[in-house]
Amino acid sequence: MIRFEQVSKQFPNGTFAVKSLDLEIKKGEFFVLIGPSGSGKTTTLKMINRLIELSNGWVWINERKISDYDINELRWNIGYVLQQIALFPHMTIAENIAVVPELKNWDKEKISVRVDDLLNMVGLDPKEYRNRKPNELSGGQQQRVGVTRALAADPEILLMDEPFSALDPFSREKLQDDMLEIQRKLKKTIVFVTHDMKEALKLGDRICLMKDGEIVQVGTPHEFLTNPANDFVREFVGGRKIPIHLNELITQVPAGQVLSDTKTISLSTPVVEALEQLALLEQIAVEDNGKLLGFISRQNALKVMTQYMREGGQIHE
Ligand code: ADP
Ligand code: MG
């Protein structure tokens, strides 16, 4: 569907933003580009819709070089969502969504139906929101309109550059859920840039981790969690940070038991340290302010940890 072949980008000031990139994004795939700031994610994304010219190599869409497309044909067939909501302030929500369908000369009735469908899809009641101006919506609602506007003319491809990173955690999760639903219904090919691994693991069919303009690893969320290519990936995935609180590992609560010969740790002990102890001992006791809370057995700790790793998305700071 979208194929990068030895693509490089060097800016006039000499910066090599992308270095000989080879990458294939499949039709209908939710593809996430992730990496630290300055790793070349935005440059990669903008080369797809020719907002940035390639220095070397080729990008193909449906087996046709992007340079062979008429630029308008190309852009209209690619929706684009940015972090900074770029709705036109003097236009209503309905007018904002209708921009590309109008350019494509859809008839009024078809546009109107499309606007209502899209607003419904992202949970904004058309009767209430159609005629509002962007400043009469919250940040999360505006970004939802940004997504519907990008989808309005039914493009095959949707490019999203850190679209939710300016939102509060609640709106952000809601919009992530919306995106999964949209993807399930509409089967678009989505290229989504983020620097948040949790978001990438939640949304991506596949993830591509970049560093200094190069690919470090491409794979499914499962592969990132279970088979990181190197320490950089491991650190990015957060594999060294364990999300579980110690009290989630405690199994038996004793009735007035006091054990003198069991290794006892405090509830505030980092989980990693508790696990290190369990590498040596079958079980450890946990106390909080002198009160015995219970025990962690090696067997149970392993079981809980394995479950966490299987669920993948649970790994966070
Ligand atoms: P990311 O989106 O991963 O943060 P970018 O693709 O924006 O990274 O940038 C990659 C590298 O290219 C960075 O070093 C950045 O400073 C540089 N860069 C981006 N745009 C330009 C530009 N127009 N001119 C010169 N250097 C640029
Ligand atoms: Mg960027």
Side-chain angles (χ1 to χ4, degrees):
M1 169 91 219
I2 305 172
R3 189 154 54 89
F4 286 78
E5 195 181 336
Q6 291 172 33
V7 172
S8 297
K9 176 65 191 182
Q10 182 175 28
F11 286 106
N13 69 356
T15 307
F16 257 109
V18 172
K19 300 167 193 161
S20 196
L21 195 73
D22 284 305
L23 188 63
E24 191 159 354
I25 299 168
K26 296 173 202 146
K27 190 173 168 59
E29 188 168 40
F30 202 128
F31 193 87
V32 177
L33 282 175
I34 192 167
S37 179
S39 55
K41 307 180 296 293
T42 295
T43 304
T44 301
L45 200 70
K46 283 185 170 174
M47 288 194 287
I48 298 174
N49 63 1
R50 284 173 54 188
L51 282 174
I52 292 181
E53 292 294 327
L54 323 187
S55 304
N56 268 305
W58 301 267
V59 175
W60 312 76
I61 294 180
N62 292 331
E63 296 305 314
R64 194 170 152 204
K65 282 183 217 155
I66 54 169
S67 53
D68 288 348
Y69 283 84
D70 169 71
I71 189 85
N72 289 324
E73 181 196 354
L74 184 79
R75 298 249 173 92
W76 292 350
N77 199 27
I78 301 179
Y80 189 41
V81 186
L82 294 158
Q83 178 184 332
Q84 287 311 328
I85 310 133
L87 299 177
F88 300 112
H90 57 287
M91 286 163 52
T92 66
I93 297 308
E95 287 164 350
N96 263 286
I97 298 173
V99 170
V100 179
E102 297 266 9
L103 286 170
K104 284 179 137 183
N105 283 320
W106 288 19
D107 73 60
K108 290 252 174 299
E109 182 57 27
K110 184 176 171 190
I111 293 178
S112 178
V113 170
R114 180 79 182 154
V115 167
D116 287 358
D117 284 352
L118 287 164
L119 284 173
N120 278 321
M121 196 168 65
V122 294
L124 296 171
D125 180 3
K127 285 197 291 296
E128 196 176 333
Y129 290 98
R130 253 184 162 277
N131 297 314
R132 289 204 193 179
K133 293 284 172 59
N135 67 5
E136 297 169 309
L137 269 60
S138 72
Q141 290 171 332
Q142 290 186 37
Q143 200 58 316
R144 239 170 268 170
V145 173
V147 173
T148 62
R149 185 175 64 174
L151 288 167
D154 208 18
E156 263 191 287
I157 298 169
L158 192 56
L159 307 180
M160 306 181 80
D161 197 348
E162 311 216 16
F164 309 145
S165 53
L167 303 177
D168 64 273
F170 181 79
S171 307
R172 188 173 183 155
E173 289 215 8
K174 171 77 182 68
L175 272 152
Q176 291 167 350
D177 294 340
D178 285 352
M179 279 319 299
L180 287 173
E181 187 63 18
I182 285 169
Q183 172 65 350
R184 203 181 54 76
K185 277 195 197 135
L186 305 181
K187 303 266 180 284
K188 301 294 180 194
T189 304
I190 300 176
V191 189
F192 187 106
V193 168
T194 183
H195 58 254
D196 175 1
M197 195 46 137
K198 206 176 141 198
E199 186 166 73
L201 292 168
K202 174 173 174 180
L203 296 177
D205 292 318
R206 281 193 305 154
I207 298 167
C208 171
L209 176 59
M210 295 181 70
K211 185 181 176 227
D212 301 333
E214 292 177 311
I215 295 176
V216 183
Q217 184 169 0
V218 184
T220 62
H222 184 77
E223 284 162 353
F224 269 80
L225 290 166
T226 56
N227 205 0
N230 57 31
D231 282 346
F232 178 74
V233 181
R234 206 166 287 122
E235 199 163 326
F236 220 87
V237 173
R240 297 190 316 176
K241 298 170 190 158
I242 297 166
I244 305 170
H245 290 291
L246 218 48
N247 55 19
E248 292 173 67
L249 296 176
I250 299 174
T251 40
Q252 312 118 11
V253 180
Q257 253 175 319
V258 183
L259 291 173
S260 52
D261 58 352
T262 304
K263 166 85 185 167
T264 303
I265 60 169
S266 139
L267 186 61
S268 59
T269 307
V271 175
V272 185
E273 281 175 33
L275 292 173
E276 274 166 8
Q277 296 287 339
L278 284 167
L280 310 169
L281 303 163
E282 278 302 323
Q283 85 169 6
I284 47 181
V286 183
E287 60 87 25
D288 187 28
N289 285 324
K291 185 168 159 268
L292 188 60
L293 296 176
F295 302 94
I296 302 175
S297 70
R298 181 191 291 170
Q299 201 184 9
N300 186 57
L302 260 179
K303 206 174 84 194
V304 175
M305 293 304 300
T306 309
Q307 188 59 35
Y308 261 93
M309 293 171 102
R310 284 230 171 83
E311 286 167 7
Q314 299 301 317
I315 291 178
H316 48 72
E317 297 91 318

